[in-house]
């Protein structure tokens, strides 16, 4: 009988009053059953409330009333409601988990969350982003699997170049070193260092040989290899605590002298060069090093572009502070590397505002195009993070016969508003394609309240591993 519907909380309490009164009268007339008393009390309550309550109001509060009626009835059965002959009523507070017949009724907030569950995107639905990019929702089985696109067929043989093979000898490790730090660079360093020393020292013809310069660089490498770059030089050359390598390679005083006068440019011409080159103090050496990297190795089909902070606290205009890096201060470099071999292909420092960058070109777009310039039109793919990824960059690289795969920042104007606001079921995937079918946007619900956006022009079909618990799409696993 406790499952009857249609009573408000006030009606439920009135029902208990009526039932208590009938129970007292039944004690005098033992012939009447308890079920008859309950039915009589229920009928009286309905007759009293029919004049004031409409049927629509009763139906609207159906779920809440039933729960209240159940709690009230349980309280009555367990003697939690104590009544006196007067109208006063005392209710003892019970913890919900101790009520044996309390029903688990969903709250309104849970019902609202349940309605919002799932992406607000349906198959074949078209949507337009703020910048005018048109997208269309597609299913995984509607993206036709075909052969690799022409732009994804590598036309180079990756590995060391002919130049590198001809100028190296497996029996002499120094020949490999000379590929990257060649005699041209050493001449610049020697001339600049000697000029600085002779300007500081009067009436002294200070000289630096190539052998001493190579030895000096070898000691710098050894300090790093032994994790002793932060130790004092006296400790490294100490007879008791230092390693024999340092004492046998070069004297401590000569090492300090080279370190004191070491320069990579001529001080007298520096001011003029700084007017158009902020990196003038080391740009000649750096540019030559990057040139040697380019001519010594051919990258594979996959290239990665990212940033790296070289730690230093030197005082200059382009020193960066990045709180999310292990070393907070340093010079930031944009670097392109071969994904498989980790070989540096191209790099340049971030020097602040660049006057040579086109006004209609974003910084992230300009960085990727500059780094990939020597390696485009060869059928390669570049992997980037959400700082660089954009539809505009993807379209430009397609024209250069290069594809991209990268995470995308949801704040970009190319992302539709529906994608920004909607959340799907855990591990659910939704795919969108541009109207020209060049770009695929993968929306993967990686966490309950966070989804991942990936833009790619590499995959002509995006498959999902349904055998895996997380059901990751191909673009996430790439």
């Amino acid at each position: 009988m406790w499952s009857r519907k249609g009573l408000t909380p006030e009606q439920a309490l009135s029902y208990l009053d009526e039932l208590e009164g009938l129970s007292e009268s039944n004690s005098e007339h033992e012939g009447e059953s308890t079920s008859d008393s309950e039915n009589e009390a229920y009928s009286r309550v309905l007759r009293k409330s029919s004049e004031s309550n409409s049927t629509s109001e009763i139906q609207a509060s159906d779920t809440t009333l039933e729960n209240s009626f159940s709690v009230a009835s349980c309280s009555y059965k367990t003697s939690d409601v104590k009544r006196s002959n007067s109208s006063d009523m005392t209710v003892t507070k019970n913890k919900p988990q101790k009520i044996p017949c309390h029903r688990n009724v969903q709250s309104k907030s849970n019902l609202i969350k349940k309605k919002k569950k799932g992406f607000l995107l349906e198959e074949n639905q078209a949507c337009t982003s703020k910048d005018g990019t048109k997208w269309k929702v597609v299913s995984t089985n509607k993206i036709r699997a075909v052969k690799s696109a022409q732009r994804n067929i590598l036309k180079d043989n990756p590995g060391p170049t002919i130049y590198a093979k001809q100028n190296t000898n497996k029996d002499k490790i120094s020949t490999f070193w000379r590929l990257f730090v060649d005699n041209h660079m050493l001449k610049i360093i020697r001339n600049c260092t000697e000029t600085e020393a002779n300007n500081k020292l009067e009436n002294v013809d200070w000289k630096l040989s190539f052998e001493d310069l190579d030895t000096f660089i070898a000691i710098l490498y050894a300090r790093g290899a032994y994790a002793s770059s932060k130790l004092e030089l006296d400790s490294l050359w100490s007879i008791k605590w230092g390693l024999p390598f340092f004492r046998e390679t070069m004297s401590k005083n000569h090492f300090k002298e080279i370190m004191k006068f070491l320069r990579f440019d001529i001080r007298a011409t520096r001011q003029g060069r700084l007017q158009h080159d902020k990196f003038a103090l080391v740009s000649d050496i750096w540019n030559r090093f990057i040139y040697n990297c380019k001519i010594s190795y051919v990258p594979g089909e996959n290239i990665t572009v990212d940033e790296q902070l070289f730690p230093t606290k030197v005082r200059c205009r382009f020193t960066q502070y990045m709180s999310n890096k292990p070393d907070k201060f340093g010079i930031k470099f944009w670097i392109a590397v071969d994904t498989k071999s980790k070989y540096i292909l191209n790099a340049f420092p971030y020097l602040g505002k660049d006057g040579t960058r086109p006004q209609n070109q974003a910084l992230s777009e300009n960085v990727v195009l500059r780094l990939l310039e020597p390696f485009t039109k060869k059928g390669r793919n570049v992997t980037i993070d959400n700082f660089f990824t954009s539809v505009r960059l993807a379209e430009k690289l397609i024209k250069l016969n290069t594809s991209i795969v990268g995470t995308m920042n949801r704040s970009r104007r190319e992302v539709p508003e529906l994608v920004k606001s909607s959340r799907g079921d855990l591990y659910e995937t939704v795919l969108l394609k541009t109207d020209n079918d060049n770009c695929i946007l993968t929306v993967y619900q990686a966490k309950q309240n966070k989804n991942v956006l990936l833009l790619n022009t590499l995959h002509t079909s995006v498959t999902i591993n349904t055998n895996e618990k997380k059901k990751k799409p191909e673009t996430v696993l790439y």
Side-chain angles (χ1 to χ4, degrees):
M1 65 154 290
W2 303 115
S3 61
R4 288 195 179 100
K5 301 179 179 180
L7 295 181
T8 62
E10 292 80 8
Q11 290 173 339
L13 294 176
S14 178
Y15 168 81
L16 295 177
D17 291 331
E18 293 291 340
L19 186 60
E20 185 177 5
L22 291 173
S23 299
E24 293 176 356
S25 62
N26 286 343
S27 62
E28 300 175 1
H29 305 83
E30 297 178 358
E32 295 183 17
S33 63
T34 304
S35 61
D36 293 337
S37 299
E38 293 174 347
N39 291 334
E40 180 65 19
Y42 184 74
S43 300
R44 290 181 183 181
V45 171
L46 291 180
R47 285 196 299 269
K48 289 180 180 180
S49 61
S50 60
E51 298 177 358
S52 58
N53 298 328
S54 63
T55 305
S56 59
E57 294 177 359
I58 296 174
Q59 293 176 348
S61 59
D62 186 86
T63 304
T64 306
L65 302 176
E66 181 181 354
N67 188 35
S68 302
F69 181 66
S70 300
V71 174
S73 61
C74 293
S75 301
Y76 177 80
K77 289 255 179 176
T78 55
S79 302
D80 287 334
V81 180
K82 298 180 180 179
R83 298 175 180 275
S84 63
N85 293 333
S86 63
S87 60
D88 296 331
M89 180 177 64
T90 304
V91 181
T92 60
K93 296 183 180 179
N94 292 330
K95 295 181 180 180
Q97 58 269 25
K98 290 186 177 181
I99 300 176
C101 58
H102 178 67
R103 299 188 179 185
N104 185 19
V105 180
Q106 290 182 335
S107 64
K108 291 183 179 181
S109 60
N110 290 338
L111 292 173
I112 294 173
K113 289 181 180 178
K114 188 173 182 180
K115 289 180 182 178
K116 290 185 177 180
K117 196 174 182 180
F119 282 111
L120 302 176
L121 299 169
E122 299 178 356
E123 188 177 345
N124 296 325
Q125 179 180 352
C127 49
T128 305
S129 58
K130 286 185 177 181
D131 71 334
T133 304
K134 296 181 179 179
W135 300 88
K136 183 178 181 181
V137 182
V138 294
S139 61
T140 54
N141 57 359
K142 289 293 180 67
I143 299 181
R144 186 168 53 92
V146 295
K147 294 181 180 180
S148 298
Q150 184 68 24
R151 62 175 177 267
N152 301 131
I153 299 176
L154 184 62
K155 299 176 183 178
D156 274 341
N157 294 322
T161 61
I162 298 176
Y163 167 80
K165 293 176 181 179
Q166 292 177 348
N167 290 275
T168 54
N169 186 349
K170 294 181 179 180
D171 298 329
K172 295 185 65 176
I173 299 178
S174 60
T175 58
F176 294 91
W177 162 257
R178 284 289 183 263
L179 279 179
F180 306 105
V181 182
D182 57 13
N183 290 329
H184 177 76
M185 296 170 62
L186 294 178
K187 287 180 181 178
I188 295 176
I189 297 173
R190 186 190 65 177
N191 294 336
C192 296
T193 304
E194 288 179 350
T195 303
E196 181 70 16
N198 291 323
N199 290 336
K200 296 286 185 178
L201 303 174
E202 298 181 355
N203 302 321
V204 175
D205 188 14
W206 194 87
K207 295 294 182 181
L208 177 64
S209 64
F210 284 123
E211 183 179 357
D212 286 346
L213 186 56
D214 281 337
T215 304
F216 174 83
I217 296 173
I219 292 176
L220 294 179
Y221 269 95
R223 290 180 69 188
Y226 287 115
S228 57
S229 59
K230 295 183 179 180
L231 295 178
E232 294 183 359
L233 295 179
D234 293 339
S235 301
L236 297 178
W237 269 266
S238 172
I239 298 176
K240 183 177 181 181
W241 303 107
L243 295 170
F245 169 80
F246 296 99
R247 296 192 303 272
E248 296 172 359
T249 305
M250 178 180 284
S251 67
K252 180 181 65 175
N253 292 335
H254 191 34
F255 180 85
K256 286 184 175 181
E257 193 176 34
I258 297 175
M259 179 69 78
K260 179 180 179 181
F261 299 122
L262 186 67
R263 295 294 183 274
F264 303 97
D265 74 322
I266 303 299
R267 185 189 293 269
T269 62
R270 182 179 298 172
Q271 290 299 326
R273 289 180 287 108
L274 283 173
Q275 299 297 325
H276 56 83
D277 183 10
K278 298 178 183 179
F279 207 51
L281 275 69
V282 292
S283 59
D284 292 339
I285 302 298
W286 176 259
N287 293 335
R288 184 69 181 187
F289 170 74
I290 295 300
Y291 171 77
N292 291 337
C293 291
K294 293 177 183 178
I295 65 174
S296 300
Y297 189 83
V298 177
E301 59 183 354
N302 293 306
I303 297 175
T304 301
V305 171
D306 206 349
E307 65 181 19
Q308 182 170 348
L309 189 72
F310 286 78
T312 180
K313 291 187 177 181
V314 64
R315 297 179 62 183
C316 65
R317 292 181 291 176
F318 44 84
T319 300
Q320 297 283 308
Y321 171 77
M322 302 181 70
S323 59
N324 59 337
K325 300 293 184 181
D327 298 290
K328 309 301 181 183
F329 293 92
I331 300 175
K332 183 167 69 174
F333 282 79
W334 309 110
I335 303 179
V337 300
D338 180 67
T339 305
K340 185 176 181 180
S341 64
K342 309 300 184 293
Y343 180 88
I344 295 180
L345 302 171
N346 198 359
F348 61 88
Y350 175 66
L351 306 176
K353 186 176 180 181
D354 185 7
T356 62
R357 176 166 59 91
Q359 294 183 355
N360 61 346
Q361 195 175 78
L363 172 63
S364 57
E365 183 180 332
N366 178 261
V367 168
V368 176
L369 293 176
R370 283 181 60 183
L371 290 174
L372 295 180
E373 184 179 2
F375 313 106
T376 56
K377 300 181 181 180
K378 298 292 184 179
R380 291 188 173 87
N381 176 74
V382 57
T383 304
I384 49 182
D385 63 13
N386 58 11
F387 175 78
F388 304 99
T389 310
S390 67
V391 175
R392 183 175 177 179
L393 175 62
E395 296 287 354
K396 287 188 176 182
L397 289 176
I398 287 175
K399 296 177 181 178
L400 298 174
N401 202 24
T402 305
S403 59
I404 71 166
V405 176
T407 56
M408 195 166 188
N409 194 329
R410 64 177 60 256
S411 63
R412 286 193 177 271
R413 293 172 59 85
E414 301 101 312
V415 180
E417 291 297 325
L418 282 176
V419 174
K420 296 180 181 180
S421 59
S422 64
R423 296 289 185 274
D425 296 330
L426 189 62
Y427 309 138
E428 183 182 0
T429 301
V430 173
L431 302 177
L432 297 91
K433 293 189 74 173
T434 52
D435 54 351
N436 57 7
D437 292 339
N438 284 337
C439 303
I440 299 177
L441 180 64
T442 304
V443 185
Y444 174 65
Q445 193 70 33
K447 296 182 180 179
Q448 194 68 39
N449 297 318
K450 181 180 180 181
N451 52 29
V452 180
L453 276 61
L454 298 102
L455 183 73
N456 90 90
T457 59
L458 172 66
H459 302 93
T460 55
S461 63
V462 177
T463 58
I464 298 176
N465 187 3
T466 56
N467 297 327
E468 187 189 24
K469 177 184 176 181
K470 295 187 177 181
K471 301 178 182 179
K472 292 183 180 179
E474 185 180 5
T475 47
V476 174
L477 297 173
Y478 180 76

